[in-house]
């Protein structure tokens, strides 16, 4: 069963793994901020704002975070492979590398694949958690109405049901039954308040389930709606993206040379 605490724990474990992976590869150059921002946006995308019942982050925010993370990662990966002095790249050179990510594509399709996997899995998870929340609200509302035996509506309803059921018997008509119109009027009076109070939460619950089903139908990636698998795969995808950059370093280097040929490379 999926719950928010479990998803949170999975993201923190994946975040720690990702940081350790990058720190092991690039050591002193690593900053935690881009990694923390990526995973925080993932968590925020699942959170529903109670004021308007909308996520605090959008799918576009998650996409931007993934792209920003890989833009941050590219200068680190390229510096390790490029034939440069031991000094760090200049800020302008780093910015140039980041600005030309779409042209150079040092990580191939891995960023876009990560965005697709995350957006579909997180959307389904958010909708599922939202449906759980609404379902609990519906049950609590229903329970409160049923238990509230002392309300004026309940008292009137009990009196009407008693009259409908036993008045004929008290008059000696043991086998006579109230007419259907009378029964319907009594039942309408009994449940009219309940219907009005339950209409909105039940409609919201049904809408939430429909959204979840539609999200599941739209999902065709390997992780499907399994947010555990999607989050656990983040570290593997990042590692594979780095390996791709290393394997394609000759092609990447040519594209970089074209994009940043007039910029000073390193700070000694």
């Amino acid at each position: 069963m999926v719950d928010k605490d479990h998803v949170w724990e999975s993201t923190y474990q994946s975040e720690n793994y990702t940081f350790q992976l990058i720190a092991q590869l690039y050591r002193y150059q690593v900053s935690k901020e881009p990694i923390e921002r990526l995973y925080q946006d993932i968590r925020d995308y699942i959170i529903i704002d109670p004021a308007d019942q909308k996520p605090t982050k959008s799918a576009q925010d998650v996409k931007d975070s993934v792209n920003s993370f890989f833009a941050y990662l590219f200068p680190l990966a390229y510096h390790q492979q490029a034939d440069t002095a031991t000094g760090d790249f200049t800020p302008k050179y780093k910015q140039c590398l980041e600005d030309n990510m779409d042209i150079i594509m040092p990580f191939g399709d891995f960023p876009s694949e990560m965005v697709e996997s995350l957006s579909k899995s997180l959307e389904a998870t958010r909708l599922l958690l939202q449906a759980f929340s609404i379902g609990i609200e519906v049950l609590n509302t229903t329970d409160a109405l049923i238990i509230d035996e002392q309300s004026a509506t309940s008292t009137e309803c009990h009196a009407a049901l008693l009259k409908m059921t036993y008045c004929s018997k008290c008059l000696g008509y043991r086998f006579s039954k109230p007419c259907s119109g009378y029964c319907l009027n009594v039942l309408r009076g009994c449940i009219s308040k309940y219907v009005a109070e339950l209409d909105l939460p039940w409609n919201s619950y049904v809408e939430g389930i429909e959204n979840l089903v539609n999200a599941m139908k739209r999902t065709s990636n390997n992780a499907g709606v399994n947010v555990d698998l999607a989050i656990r795969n983040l570290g593997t995808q990042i590692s594979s993206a780095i390996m791709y950059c290393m394997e394609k370093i000759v092609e990447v280097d040519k594209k970089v040379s074209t994009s940043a040929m007039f910029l000073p490379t390193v700070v000694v």
Side-chain angles (χ1 to χ4, degrees):
M1 180 177 177
V2 176
D3 61 68
K4 191 178 77 171
D5 291 340
H6 179 73
V7 174
W8 256 232
E9 183 179 354
S10 296
T11 61
Y12 283 118
Q13 289 176 352
S14 180
E15 181 178 342
N16 289 334
Y17 173 83
T18 300
F19 177 75
Q20 291 171 8
L21 169 68
I22 296 176
Q24 185 176 10
L25 289 172
Y26 307 120
R27 298 180 183 176
Y28 69 92
Q29 296 174 305
V30 176
S31 169
K32 292 192 71 172
E33 194 273 334
I35 301 171
E36 290 175 344
R37 184 172 64 247
L38 169 64
Y39 281 92
Q40 188 58 52
D41 282 349
I42 289 173
R43 287 186 284 269
D44 287 345
Y45 182 59
I46 302 174
I47 297 175
I48 299 296
D49 187 341
D52 56 10
Q53 289 298 305
K54 294 181 180 179
T56 55
K57 292 287 184 178
S58 67
Q60 184 62 45
D61 291 325
V62 174
K63 179 179 179 180
D64 291 342
S65 291
V66 171
N67 290 334
S68 295
F69 169 77
F70 278 105
Y72 152 77
L73 186 61
F74 179 33
L76 298 180
Y78 184 63
H79 183 273
Q80 187 184 61
Q81 298 298 314
D83 184 17
T84 65
T86 56
D88 194 9
F89 287 144
T90 64
K92 286 186 177 181
Y93 195 82
K94 287 182 180 180
Q95 190 62 52
C96 180
L97 293 177
E98 294 177 10
D99 292 343
N100 287 278
M101 281 279 294
D102 291 341
I103 299 174
I104 301 171
M105 292 188 66
F107 302 110
D109 294 328
F110 283 100
S112 60
E113 290 173 358
M114 184 184 294
V115 168
E116 181 181 10
S117 173
L118 278 176
S119 60
K120 290 181 177 180
S121 300
L122 292 176
E123 180 189 12
T125 300
R126 173 175 55 79
L127 292 172
L128 179 60
L129 293 175
Q130 187 177 21
F132 284 162
S133 177
I134 296 173
I136 292 172
E137 179 185 343
V138 170
L139 291 176
N140 288 339
T141 303
T142 305
D143 191 50
L145 291 173
I146 293 174
I147 292 176
D148 187 12
E149 297 287 346
Q150 303 303 318
S151 68
T153 302
S154 294
T155 302
E156 294 171 1
C157 178
H158 292 165
L161 288 172
L162 183 65
K163 181 179 179 181
M164 181 184 73
T165 305
Y166 293 106
C167 273
S168 59
K169 293 180 173 59
C170 292
L171 294 174
Y173 302 106
R174 295 175 55 193
F175 301 105
S176 296
K177 297 180 179 180
C179 65
S180 60
Y182 180 40
C183 291
L184 288 174
N185 285 336
V186 170
L187 292 177
R188 285 195 188 102
C190 284
I191 67 174
S192 60
K193 177 185 176 183
Y194 295 166
V195 169
E197 292 190 22
L198 292 174
D199 185 58
L200 179 60
W202 271 108
N203 284 340
S204 298
Y205 181 66
V206 171
E207 182 181 358
I209 295 299
E210 289 176 347
N211 290 337
L212 175 61
V213 171
N214 290 332
M216 294 177 69
K217 287 180 179 179
R218 291 194 299 270
T219 301
S220 59
N221 56 304
N222 292 333
V225 295
N226 189 336
V227 70
D228 268 347
L229 182 58
I231 292 175
R232 284 201 306 268
N233 280 348
L234 288 179
T236 302
Q237 288 176 303
I238 292 169
S239 178
S240 298
I242 294 172
M243 289 297 298
Y244 177 91
C245 183
M246 293 170 62
E247 292 171 357
K248 300 291 183 179
I249 188 60
V250 175
E251 298 174 22
V252 170
D253 196 40
K254 290 180 181 178
K255 294 179 181 179
V256 169
S257 298
T258 302
S259 302
M261 65 173 64
F262 299 114
L263 290 176
T265 307
V266 297
V267 177
V268 180

